[in-house]
Each structure stands twice: as C-alpha cells, then as structure tokens.
Amino acid sequence: MKKTVKGRWRLAVALGVVAALGVSGCGLNEDNASSNTSTDGSVLRIGTTTDVSNFNPLQSLSKTDSWILNAMYPHLLRIDENAKKAPELAKEYRYEDDGKTAVFVLRDDFKWTDGKPVVADDVKFSAEMIMKYKLGNVAAKLTWVESIEAPDATTVKFKLSQPYAPFAEGVGFWMSIVPKHVFEPAGDLSKFPNDTNWVGAGPFVLDSMTKGQRYVMKRNESYPLAPGGKAAVSKVEYRVYPDVNTMMLALRNGDIDLMGTPVPVSAAKTFEGDSKIKMAKVGALGFAHLTYNMKNKHLADQEVRQALSMSVDTKSIISAVLQGDAQEMAGPISPIFSDYDNTEVKPYAFDPAGAKAKLTAAGYKDANNDGFFDELAFGVACDQSNANMTRVVQLFRESAAKAGIKLENECVERNTFLARTKSGEYDIDASQWGVFDNPMDQLRSTYLSSNPGGINYNLLKSTEIDKLINEAAGTTDPEAFKTKIKNLDKVVHDQAYLTPLYVENFRFAYNGSKFTGFAPSPSDLLGMVTAYSLAQVTPVK
Amino acid sequence: MSAPVLTEQTVPPVAPAAVRRSWYSYLRQPSAALSVLVLLVMVVMAVFAPLIADEPVGAGADVLQSPSGAHWFGTDDLGQDIFAQVVWGTRTSLVIGLAASVIAIVLGTAIGLASAYFRPIDAVATVITDVMLALPTLPLMIMLAAVVNPSVWTLTMIIGFFAWPEVARLIRSQGLVVSAMPYIDGARVLGATGWRIVTREILPAVVSLVIVSVLLTASRAVISEAGLSFLGLGDPDAWSWGRILLNAQRSGVIAIAWWQTLFPSLAILLLVLSATVAGMRFNDTRDPRRNGG
C-alpha cells in the first residue's frame, strides 16, 4: 500500500517534469519559429489595432476586417493615389441605354486560389446576394438595379430603373466579388461566417489565425496586377496591437514592418532620427465635421447654426491639433473632389463677437447676465478614443463660450457614442467621415430624408434638399451634373447644416530598410494596405 | 519601522489631554509628519490652484517641450503646460477621493454599526456586504460609468457606492468587540435606547477607525478615479491625473514624452502613499492593541 502511494508520487513527479519539459520545448519551438519569420525578408508583418470581427466580405466591415478581406476578394475598381477610380477586376466600364445600363468589362486573368477563373457570374452572384439579403452598405448603392446579366465570362450588365451618374463608381469600388462556387453552397449569406478554408482571388489569402495575436495570409500564386504575375512578398502577417504606443515601439524594434494604422501627428517625432523607418503621407477621403441635430429646437434655426460655425476656430484647430498638416473646408464637398468642390464658397470666418451680435439681432437674450445666451446650451458628442476630436471639442467649447454659447463636452466611450449617434441622442455630433468615394453618394447618404445610408446625422427632413439631390442624381450630362453638385455644396454651406473642420493627411510608417514599393491610396481605410499596394511591395535586397 | 509605545489609551471616552498627547506622539513620527505634510500641500494646491497656475486652455506654440524653467513639467501635444494640468488635476482627484470616501464611510459606518448592534440586521447586512465584496468592482464601475454621463458628480457616486463594503466590514468587527463590553450592558440596563447606544456609546469607540478608513478609502478612490479617467470614462471637462495619462496614451506620445506620464503618475503615487502611511500611523497611535500584537 505504502509502496503504491510512493509509486504514484514518483509517477506524478515524472509526469510533471515531462509536462514542464514539453511546455518549455514548445516555447523554444515557438521562439525559433518567430525568429525565423522575423529574419525572412519576404514576410511582411503589419500592425493593426483590432481583431477581425467578421470574415464575410459582403457585410459591413470594421477597418481590420476590410484590410484583410480586401486583400482576398477583388473589387471591380480601386481608388488610386490621386483619389480617382482605377481598373482592378474590371478593365473598363461604360453606360448604355441613356445611362440606364451600366456595363463592366472584366479582365480574364484573375484566378481564385482553388484554380478556377474569376468570371462575370461571380460578380452577378455577389451583387444579387447583397440585394437579396440587404448586406452591408453596398445594398443601398444597388437600389436602382432591376436585373443583372452576365452574357459572357467577362461582361456584366446592371439594368437600372433610372440613370444614376455615380452608380458604376460606387458599386465598382465598394462591392467585394466572392467566389460563387464557394459561397453558393453556404445558403443564407447573412449568416455565413466564412471563417475557415478561405478561397480568394486577391494577392493574398488567409491561411491561419490566432485571435488576439496574428492573422497569417499566404500569397495567391496568380495575381495579374502584381508586377511578376504574383506578389513579391510570400506572406503577409497582421499582428494585433491594441495600443498605438506599443505598435510604434514594435515597429522601431523590428517586430513589425508596417503600421496599418496611421501615426498620430503628435507622435510623428517618434521616428525622427531612425534612418530605417520611412513615412508615407496620403490625403483623406472623408473629413472631420460638426453636425447639428435639426430635431433640436434651437439648432433648427439657421442663424444659430451659422453663429456656431462662426465660433469654431478651424485655423487654430488645424495648426494646433493637426500641427498644420490638414486642409480647411468650406462646404460639405471635400477639396479632394476638385471637379465638384465649389471654390466660390468660403468658410465662415472665426468671429465670436460677430456671432454674438448675430444671435442678439436674432432675438436671443442673456437675461441673467452670465455671459451666455439663456436658451443656447448644447452638448457636443464625440468618441473619447479619437484623440483629435476630443481636442477639437475642448477648443470648440472654449471658443463658443466667447460667442455666448454654452457647450458641454459629451465625449464618451466609443460604443456609447456609436449607440447615441445611431439613436440621434446628441445636439452636436463631432465626428469624422471615413471614406466618401464620390460626392453624389455622400450627399444622398448624409442629407436625404429617407436616410438610405443611415448617416443623415442632421436628421434633416427637407423637401427642398431632397429635390435638389434627386435632380442631381438623375443628371447624366457631366457638366450639368457638376453644376448641380456645386450648387448643393453652396446651399448646404449657407444653411450651415454642418461645420466642416478639416481634411487631414495621414502618415504611415514602415521599415524602409526591409520593404519598398508601396502604392498608397488616400484615407486611413485604404492607406498602404490595399490589395494593389500589397501586391507591389518588394523586399529590399 | 517600530511601532510607537503609548502610555495610556482608554476605550471609549478619551480625555482631552490624551487626545493632545496622542496627536503629538502621532506627529512626532517622521513618516506620519511627512505624509501629513504632503497631504496638506496637496490640499493647498487644490484649493489655490487658480493662484498657482492658469487653467490649461487653448493651444500653445510650444508643443511637446521637455521640462524646463518655463514649463516645469514640460508641455503636451497641444502645447499646454503639464504642471498646470497636474495642479488642476489635484482638485478633481482630491474632490472625488474625499467625496467618494465620505459616501463610503457614511454608508459603511451606518451598515457596520447597525449590524454590530442589531442582531437581526446583521444576518442580512453581512450577506449583502459579502456579495458586494465578491463583485468584480472595476468591470462594474466601467460598465456603470459608460452608461451614465461622465461627470465629477457621477464618478463620485459610482466610486463611493462600490467602496463601502470594506468599511462596513471593518466597522462591524470593531463594533462587535465594543458592543460586548460591560459599559454597553450598563447603558442598556440604565434604559438607553438602541439608537442612543449606537450613536453615543459605540460610534465614539470606533471613530478612530473611521478616520483611518477615510484616508485609506480616499486613496483607493483616487486610484479608481485615475483608472476610470484613463479608460476615457472620466469627466471630459475636468482636469484629472488620469486624463493627463489618457491624453498621452491616446495621442501616442508615451515613448517620446516621458514627462507627460511621469508627473501625473508621481502625483498619484505621492497622494496614495501619504494617505496610506498617514492612515496606518494614525491607526497605530490610536489603537494600542495593535501595537506589538
């Protein structure tokens, strides 16, 4: 009896030792593996702040989702470094039938990683599924589609109920093309997780992942947009760093080769004097803005909105918060759309005294003499995790006080902010539009009463604006179309539905001693990590 | 650290001379005197913040300057003076620390004394206290703070509400000892009501413990406030030490602007350390049974 107990003890100890050795052995193996990857020049390691939350490319996506999925699933068009549409899967597109049919002509050399070619049927299938299950933001862009035809392997025709000028641009840029032969058997695509056995046709396709740590993508051996017919980098590995400070240190220490998220302007100095780290700068496709809730009795007054616009010191915001690295805006159309930006519209000049006089003239009173108009007190909502916006709100609050308008800083935790934005619980919304690929879609989604894009943050219901937008949308003549957009730019500016703050530049940092050849596109969503850009990257020899 | 030896200590009625003597012997300990001094300096800073430094507003030209004669603690990425932020942050931190600890003390003492003297209450109160102690406080505080509008007032309420169980437990255990003493029986025999016994006989006997708890709870509340503010759940309009840290983290300058994280952290450390030391020394002085025990 005693002996067996002793024996068991020995066995337990022996097992413990074996287990310990095993664990340390694994640890050693892992160390070896990671040191191998870090010395192998053809693995590009990219830092990101969040995990992938959704692997279905047809649904709405967070930033990391779209980075990884856009490298796997091709789009018809892409946005090049000048913010113009460029061919990707589609060689060209044209309108027929007085703008009521949009025709895409596809390349014939794209291949899915299982060897099958990418064909017009895949495009048709993707669009039909999005319409059927109302998936993501692309569903709103397909509103006018009556039917889709794929007469041959490289031609797709979208029949529209009415001409819509930027239809092809919007759908071409936003819609991911998925392999019909993989997605069709999955059934209901609104519930399809697509989280394993990936088949893609981009330059890279997901191979393995460890949640919270890394997403490893292997090269597609056939990607026609890469210089050599396939990407020069053999693997792309996304690593998760929730904190940007840590990510910057990881880049400096050589743990990653590229930061997917932009370097905050305040932190640009971090890489000064580091000869290995290079910076690439791109513009934005969106802009920062203050948007006024028209459901608020006082904010529905044009004079109040104009006075608020006059009490935002955008120039000093740009010089202080963005260190001068941003552009001023006047109306809702960003200067990046140079064809549509109405240059006659000038921003409201910063003039708190003038704003005060304007409000007094409009009949607002300060009966209790506390320096603030009695009725004008608003909350400014913003996302606490956005460093720039919290600074903007801080400065806005101080400058509006000079105009006699009392503002309360309501910068809250991100999810609370998103929930409030969704339910319209704010007076003034201080936030940032991410990506608008064309001004028409932007105006439709931000000002139409029917709110098709879900981002009419003004909660504006104006028949006049609806009429102007719908008229512009049905205009096929390019010159007349431009004039109508420019007019809308002016009307929205006069109404001061929003105060545009700035169009910022984004800086991306990468290890220039190891990789070169990035083809960056504007905005922090596209940046250095578009499928096209990753396919151009070459290791430095 | 040798504990001081006291010549006399009576529980509960304390003679005025003894009070003076114990204060004197308390302050004669260098660690106690030093920490009280630090606390006093902090209080002065908080009260006279507008005289010491201008409220940090607007944006300056000197961005991310390291500490110098002009900016003692350097500047942040907006060009605001960190020293001014730390001084103004003292206000928020102290106000929240003190107010939250007062809430916790009032709740904790009431519940602790009630359960020490009234047996039927004890069963219920102890269970509630145990449940509260078992709750994961930080996640709950984060959830609550995310739901309500963040302001100094709501933060105080949240922190105070989650800090009382420790106090209640401490007061209850001391109260149990006191309520078993003969003079309490005496009071009861003389016909004193329960209310009178609790407020006039037991409360004075545990008051030194209450003072210690105020200090310890306040220091915990300061840490909670800094933590919540650092997570972006603080009052966005009030300067606090946690918010300075958050600004540094959010704008990605932790690696290049050490001064933006060092000084507010030092302030937190100093306040918490001195409150804790002051509390511990006070406890040693007032409670001879703890000495050498």
Side-chain angles (χ1 to χ4, degrees), chain A residues 243-245 248-249 264 266-267 269-270 320-321 323 384-385 387 390-391 394-395 397-398 409 411-413 416 420, chain B residues 57-59 63-64 76-78 80 146 149-150 232-233 236-237 239 243 246-247 249-256:
Chain A
D243 170 46
V244 72
N245 295 282
M248 289 192 291
L249 287 178
S266 46
K269 276 188 193 162
T270 314
V321 180
Q323 309 285 307
Q384 178 72 256
S385 65
T390 50
R391 303 305 214 166
Q394 196 180 319
L395 296 174
R397 180 170 165 265
E398 287 161 20
N409 186 330
C411 290
V412 290
E413 183 269 335
T416 317
R420 284 192 195 170
Chain B
V57 290
V63 170
L64 291 176
D76 71 357
D77 59 304
L78 263 192
Q80 291 182 351
N149 248 345
L233 300 164
D237 282 341
W239 282 104
R243 180 172 157 206
L246 168 66
N247 278 345
Q249 188 265 343
R250 216 166 32 186
S251 45
V253 297
I254 289 182
I256 47 172

Side-chain angles (χ1 to χ4, degrees), chain B:
Chain B
M1 248 191 265
S2 70
V5 179
L6 290 181
T7 47
E8 58 176 320
Q9 172 77 24
T10 42
V11 179
V14 184
V19 171
R20 261 201 304 280
R21 246 198 310 278
S22 60
W23 272 110
Y24 178 67
S25 65
Y26 171 63
L27 288 176
R28 250 184 40 193
Q29 308 169 71
S31 60
L34 196 65
S35 47
V36 168
L37 186 70
V38 171
L39 289 178
L40 281 178
V41 169
M42 294 251 175
V43 170
V44 168
M45 265 196 345
V47 174
F48 297 105
L51 300 179
I52 300 171
D54 294 331
E55 186 175 7
V57 290
D62 300 334
V63 170
L64 291 176
Q65 300 280 308
S66 54
S68 65
H71 302 287
W72 292 357
F73 290 0
T75 60
D76 71 357
D77 59 304
L78 263 192
Q80 291 182 351
D81 190 42
I82 304 281
F83 176 70
Q85 295 180 358
V86 171
V87 169
W88 281 77
T90 316
R91 279 196 155 183
T92 317
S93 296
L94 277 190
V95 164
I96 293 190
L98 277 179
S101 100
V102 166
I103 294 177
I105 293 299
V106 169
L107 274 175
T109 311
I111 294 171
L113 285 181
S115 49
Y117 187 75
F118 303 105
R119 291 280 116 193
I121 296 182
D122 190 29
V124 181
T126 308
V127 170
I128 295 177
T129 312
D130 285 345
V131 169
M132 287 291 291
L133 279 173
L135 287 178
T137 352
L138 187 64
L140 272 177
M141 281 202 268
I142 291 173
M143 261 176 56
L144 256 181
V147 173
V148 296
N149 248 345
S151 71
V152 170
W153 168 241
T154 50
L155 271 188
T156 308
M157 296 299 289
I158 291 172
I159 297 173
F161 180 73
F162 281 106
W164 67 261
E166 277 106 337
V167 182
R169 173 151 290 189
L170 212 63
I171 299 292
R172 175 182 170 271
S173 63
Q174 180 84 351
L176 279 177
V177 174
V178 175
S179 60
M181 285 188 173
Y183 77 92
I184 300 292
D185 292 336
R188 203 179 294 130
V189 169
L190 287 173
T193 59
W195 172 254
R196 194 196 146 85
I197 291 176
V198 168
T199 52
R200 300 288 173 81
E201 310 294 347
I202 305 182
L203 181 61
V206 298
V207 88
S208 64
L209 202 58
V210 170
I211 294 178
V212 175
S213 300
V214 167
L215 286 167
L216 295 185
T217 314
S219 67
R220 277 210 317 270
V222 167
I223 293 183
S224 299
E225 188 276 334
L228 288 176
S229 297
F230 179 69
L231 294 173
L233 300 164
D235 185 340
D237 282 341
W239 282 104
S240 94
W241 297 333
R243 180 172 157 206
I244 307 174
L245 293 173
L246 168 66
N247 278 345
Q249 188 265 343
R250 216 166 32 186
S251 45
V253 297
I254 289 182
I256 47 172
W258 52 268
W259 51 91
Q260 208 179 333
T261 44
L262 176 70
F263 293 110
S265 310
L266 271 183
I268 297 173
L269 176 74
L270 268 181
L271 177 61
V272 172
L273 189 67
S274 45
T276 313
V277 170
M280 276 163 42
R281 289 289 152 269
F282 186 80
N283 199 28
D284 295 348
T285 318
R286 301 279 301 183
D287 188 357
R289 277 166 305 178
R290 290 195 165 218
N291 296 341

Side-chain angles (χ1 to χ4, degrees), chain A residues 165 333 337-345 439-440 443 468-469 471-473 475-492:
Chain A
I333 305 297
F337 300 121
S338 46
D339 292 346
Y340 305 98
D341 181 27
N342 191 337
T343 46
E344 285 163 21
V345 176
M440 191 67 247
L443 292 170
L468 288 173
I469 290 176
E471 268 176 26
T475 308
T476 41
D477 175 51
E479 283 314 308
F481 181 64
K482 277 179 200 166
T483 316
K484 285 187 176 167
I485 299 278
K486 282 185 181 175
N487 180 45
L488 268 161
D489 195 10
K490 185 171 179 304
V491 173
V492 171

Side-chain angles (χ1 to χ4, degrees), chain A residues 75-76 87-92 104-111 117-120 123 153-155 223-226 532:
Chain A
H75 291 222
L76 293 165
E88 192 175 308
L89 175 61
K91 266 195 294 202
E92 55 179 46
F104 287 96
V105 181
L106 310 187
R107 297 176 67 117
D108 56 5
D109 48 2
F110 268 68
K111 279 204 176 65
V118 181
V119 292
V123 179
T154 56
T155 312
Y223 187 71
L225 294 183
Y532 182 79

Side-chain angles (χ1 to χ4, degrees), chain A residues 299-318:
Chain A
L299 290 175
D301 182 350
Q302 183 183 5
E303 305 269 359
V304 173
R305 296 194 303 268
Q306 286 179 340
L308 278 164
S309 297
M310 289 160 75
S311 21
V312 188
D313 191 355
T314 37
K315 286 205 172 66
S316 83
I317 285 176
I318 290 174

Side-chain angles (χ1 to χ4, degrees), chain A residues 319-331:
Chain A
S319 74
V321 180
L322 297 146
Q323 309 285 307
D325 202 5
Q327 244 181 309
E328 221 182 333
M329 276 178 71

